[in-house]
Amino acid sequence: MKIQSVKGTRDFYPPQMAVRNFIIDGWKAASKRCGFVEYDGPIFEYLQMYQIKSGQEIVEQLFNFQDRGGRLLAIRPEITPTLARMVNQQINTLPRPVKWFSVPRLCRAERPQKGRLREFFQWNIDIIGADDVLADAEIVYCSLDYLRSAGLTEKDVVARISSRRLLAALLKNIGIAEDRLDVLYPILDKKSKVPAEAFEEMLQKEVSSGQIIRTIQQLMEVHLVDAIPSIVNLNNEAQAALDEVARVFAYLDRMGVRDFCRFDMGIVRGLAYYTGMVFEIHEVAGELRAICGGGRYDNLLSDFGGPKITATGMGMGDCVLEILLRQKGLLKDDTLDVQTLDYFVVCADAELFDKAVSVAAVLRRKGFSCDFSYKPVALGKQLKQADALKAAQCVIVGQELKESNQLVIKDMKSGEQKLVNADAFLT
Ligand code: HAM
């Protein structure tokens, strides 16, 4: 019976693995450049972890199961709850701010589509214990720093930035009760993802006043801070939130990435735990889903039984990113670092096969990457194999070894050959 791979998963053959490594290496380098250190957690957690504060959408996409001991578990759909749990556990000993990064493999039972799969990799950077919006700006900066290092410019990607704190203040101002906010956020987040009529229908289910619905729709379109007072009066809380947004932009300006950034009230984020600045980075043409998303989540650690410590961070998946890098010609398979070899040992005389095996072993012990043919097949075939494996040089073990204890070293690029003393070469 032939068994297929599961819908929404990927097989990483060596060329795809090279792409995955290329992307992850870039993420890790950007994290380190910005002072983040790496962590990881388990790939499954108690189901409850994701039911506390991630929001209904994530709960509906969980791969969950019961283990043999009757525990209700789920494969991680995100790593932020794990991060909160881990930091809470060591909160008294960790030097703050905690600046950690991770590249977890995640699973979400989403409908597979362009840029969305059921299993993917997601770069996470988070800062815990830094109250100021400078930390929020740092998260946006580091995300852009990576994208810029991958070759993308402000003509390719845009960071859309808003504030849950601002949105909450404005919604309360127009008569939405505080306890309705968590219901509204995931709906507002859908605005750019569903047709206008579907969006209006979803709003109508939760908001009875047509006037309030119209005001919300107007607010979602705002791209200029100055446009807000003509739609909703600014109270002190809204003004304070706006001042924060202005400071985020001022920091981003100082960090040299202001040109990538726009204010956009339509950015709400689907996850329930965000409390302050929220952002997503999109491809400028707007054809693809978000490249990454994140924001401030000041209550998650305390929601998980820890102290009230603030946090901010983001997650970037590998799927949309790979599509975009390919579209822009920034990911060319032939330039990727596929496996290469320092040496390929060629056995030119079947009697010397054992010697060839030990030459390869010695070269490996010296720290070189080295391979050889498992059978003393014809010389031409072995040289072809060396070529296919992208060996830089071949070490030919043949007659010269018998006659004068010498090996032939062939440079595979230039074709040049030279003789070396075997003892000197192998010690
Ligand atoms: P999220 O918006 O659910 O946030 O996911 C962030 C990014 O992960 C998305 O923009 C996308 O690139 C990628 N992603 C999400 N779902 C899929 C999928 N099914 N297939 C491929 N890529 C996907 C979070 O996960 C937050 N925990 C991020 C965060 C960290 N916030 C603060 N710290």
Side-chain angles (χ1 to χ4, degrees), residues 369-390:
S369 57
C370 177
D371 208 349
F372 60 98
S373 168
Y374 293 155
K375 281 184 192 155
V377 289
L379 191 69
K381 245 187 170 176
Q382 291 185 57
L383 287 170
K384 255 194 189 154
Q385 194 180 349
D387 236 1
L389 293 172
K390 299 196 168 66

Side-chain angles (χ1 to χ4, degrees), residues 42 120 135 172 190 195 212 235 283 287 307 316 321 331 344-345 377 389:
F120 58 100
K172 280 192 258 174
K190 287 270 174 296
I212 294 182
N235 58 10
E283 169 232 0
E287 277 156 23
M316 180 184 295
L321 179 67
L331 202 115
F344 189 90
V345 179
V377 289
L389 293 172

Side-chain angles (χ1 to χ4, degrees), residues 3-183:
I3 299 177
Q4 306 286 329
S5 62
V6 177
K7 183 168 87 162
T9 64
R10 287 170 290 179
D11 294 328
F12 291 92
Y13 289 88
Q16 289 86 41
M17 196 63 208
V19 172
R20 179 171 130 192
N21 284 337
F22 170 77
I23 288 175
I24 292 179
D25 288 350
W27 285 345
K28 290 189 173 180
S31 305
K32 289 175 188 163
R33 264 201 306 280
C34 297
F36 291 83
V37 289
E38 191 166 8
Y39 74 99
D40 199 359
I43 64 160
F44 50 82
E45 293 268 8
Y46 284 108
L47 171 64
Q48 219 191 348
M49 280 268 287
Y50 308 107
Q51 293 171 323
I52 295 179
K53 205 62 206 184
S54 294
Q56 195 53 29
E57 193 170 328
I58 282 272
V59 171
E60 282 163 14
Q61 294 171 348
L62 285 174
F63 281 102
N64 54 306
F65 59 99
Q66 193 166 10
D67 76 359
R68 287 164 201 221
R71 295 169 198 88
L72 295 176
L73 307 176
I75 301 176
R76 60 188 180 190
E78 57 163 342
I79 203 174
T80 316
T82 302
L83 170 70
R85 179 178 64 65
M86 286 170 61
V87 172
N88 273 344
Q89 256 159 32
Q90 296 196 351
I91 197 68
N92 295 323
T93 50
L94 288 172
R96 282 188 234 158
V98 174
K99 284 181 74 174
W100 284 0
F101 82 92
S102 194
V103 183
R105 185 192 278 260
L106 306 178
C107 289
R108 295 185 189 180
E110 286 205 48
R111 191 171 58 81
Q113 53 187 300
K114 198 175 176 191
R116 284 290 180 279
L117 293 174
R118 294 192 155 183
E119 186 195 41
F120 58 100
F121 291 86
Q122 191 196 58
W123 174 38
N124 280 253
I125 43 170
D126 288 86
I127 305 175
I128 294 172
D131 302 346
D132 192 70
V133 292
L134 177 53
D136 298 318
E138 176 94 315
I139 294 293
V140 179
Y141 169 77
C142 183
S143 315
L144 288 169
D145 181 43
Y146 162 70
L147 293 170
R148 199 166 50 177
S149 72
L152 295 162
T153 69
E154 60 270 28
K155 290 195 181 78
D156 305 311
V157 293
V158 53
R160 304 204 164 110
I161 302 172
S162 186
S163 159
R164 274 262 178 109
R165 186 180 169 197
L166 173 64
L167 182 61
L170 297 176
L171 290 176
K172 280 192 258 174
N173 240 3
I174 59 171
I176 304 283
E178 169 109 41
D179 62 358
R180 302 296 296 152
L181 294 176
D182 278 355
V183 180

Side-chain angles (χ1 to χ4, degrees), residues 340-346 369 371 379-396 408-418:
T340 54
L341 285 175
D342 296 320
Y343 290 108
F344 189 90
V345 179
V346 171
S369 57
D371 208 349
L379 191 69
K381 245 187 170 176
Q382 291 185 57
L383 287 170
K384 255 194 189 154
Q385 194 180 349
D387 236 1
L389 293 172
K390 299 196 168 66
Q393 302 192 76
C394 276
V395 181
I396 303 171
V408 180
I409 310 291
K410 178 180 166 89
D411 186 284
M412 296 301 280
K413 226 183 203 155
S414 64
E416 264 169 44
Q417 299 201 29
K418 61 177 181 192

